[in-house]
Amino acid sequence: QASAAQSGVIQSSGNTLPGRIDAFLKKWEIHPNVMDRMRALSVDQKEYVLRKFNPQSTGASQALANFIKVLKQNEARTEIKPDKMIRVDACGGVIGKLTPDLSHHEDMEDLHMQVASEDGRFYIADNSTACGGPSKTFVKAADDDLWEAVSAEWCQLLNKDTIRLGDSCKLVVELAGSSTDLPAGVPIEEEAGSKRGADWTEME
């Protein structure tokens, strides 16, 4: 039977995702071949395993191998829900570990990324590389499963996009304004109060 130290699910902590995975694999004494399968999973799938895997008997390596097999067969059902919905108005904002309710994410920078509004549209840029940290910023559309890396250059952010900061923090973005979904280059009437540089965000 599993020891008392092995009971319960590995919970997200202040460690980075790779660190939590190493602790998880060591705890359950996972076979190297199964370790490789675990490390080959997507970020969302790794988080899912860390939250859900809790064998009730010996043979953790075989149990994990079976768990991963089922996981791969049901990939569409393993998407981890975003932590928060964040609302951003025309003043834009800076988001990171200093943002209320996000301080527990150790794998992001204090000022990880920024959102700005210009000509009625919203844009996102990554700050993490400039801060010297390893974390990155990623974004994906509501109707897409593909994460796209965000650089220090501004790129357009659309309403209901999901952004990922580091390994685990995911936020659905709700943008204020009627023109937020128009692609760049489409003429619109400029919205009053649109500017860059303000630090304003509201967490739900």
Side-chain angles (χ1 to χ4, degrees):
Q1 293 183 348
S3 67
Q6 289 179 325
S7 62
V9 179
I10 292 287
Q11 298 294 332
S12 297
S13 66
N15 298 326
T16 63
L17 179 59
R20 288 189 285 127
I21 290 174
D22 288 343
F24 171 91
L25 297 173
K26 182 178 180 180
K27 168 186 171 178
W28 295 111
E29 300 179 350
I30 300 300
H31 188 278
N33 289 343
V34 184
M35 286 185 183
D36 291 340
R37 297 185 200 177
M38 172 75 173
R39 292 193 173 101
L41 295 174
S42 68
V43 170
D44 287 342
Q45 290 170 334
K46 290 173 183 174
E47 288 285 356
Y48 187 84
V49 172
L50 292 176
R51 295 185 186 190
K52 297 294 186 180
F53 181 74
N54 186 25
Q56 301 301 312
S57 62
T58 57
S61 291
Q62 185 60 54
L64 180 57
N66 293 338
F67 191 93
I68 291 174
K69 181 179 179 180
V70 173
L71 186 64
K72 296 294 289 184
Q73 293 172 346
N74 298 278
E75 290 186 68
R77 300 169 55 191
T78 63
E79 179 74 10
I80 304 303
K81 293 183 178 180
D83 297 320
K84 295 283 184 180
M85 174 173 286
I86 186 165
R87 297 189 180 97
V88 183
D89 71 1
C91 292
V94 178
I95 303 171
K97 197 160 56 176
L98 296 182
T99 304
D101 296 335
L102 298 184
S103 60
H104 61 288
H105 290 281
E106 294 295 331
D107 56 342
M108 72 168 69
E109 303 297 332
D110 290 348
L111 306 176
H112 192 99
M113 55 145 285
Q114 52 188 322
V115 180
S117 175
E118 187 172 273
D119 296 331
R121 298 179 183 85
F122 289 82
Y123 300 88
I124 185 175
D126 174 68
N127 290 337
S128 64
T129 302
C131 293
S135 299
K136 302 294 182 182
T137 303
F138 301 87
V139 62
K140 71 173 181 177
D143 59 350
D144 195 352
D145 292 328
L146 178 64
W147 289 101
E148 295 185 14
V150 176
S151 70
E153 301 294 327
W154 295 102
C155 67
Q156 190 172 7
L157 184 67
L158 301 180
N159 198 37
K160 303 302 182 182
D161 277 356
T162 301
I163 55 176
R164 192 180 87 223
L165 311 181
D167 290 326
S168 59
C169 178
K170 299 202 307 189
L171 307 168
V172 173
V173 181
E174 186 174 275
L175 304 175
S178 60
S179 60
T180 57
D181 288 334
L182 288 179
V186 176
I188 58 171
E189 183 178 349
E190 184 173 354
E191 295 186 4
S194 176
K195 62 179 180 179
R196 286 186 177 176
D199 184 4
W200 186 96
T201 57
E202 178 184 339
M203 301 297 297
E204 185 177 69

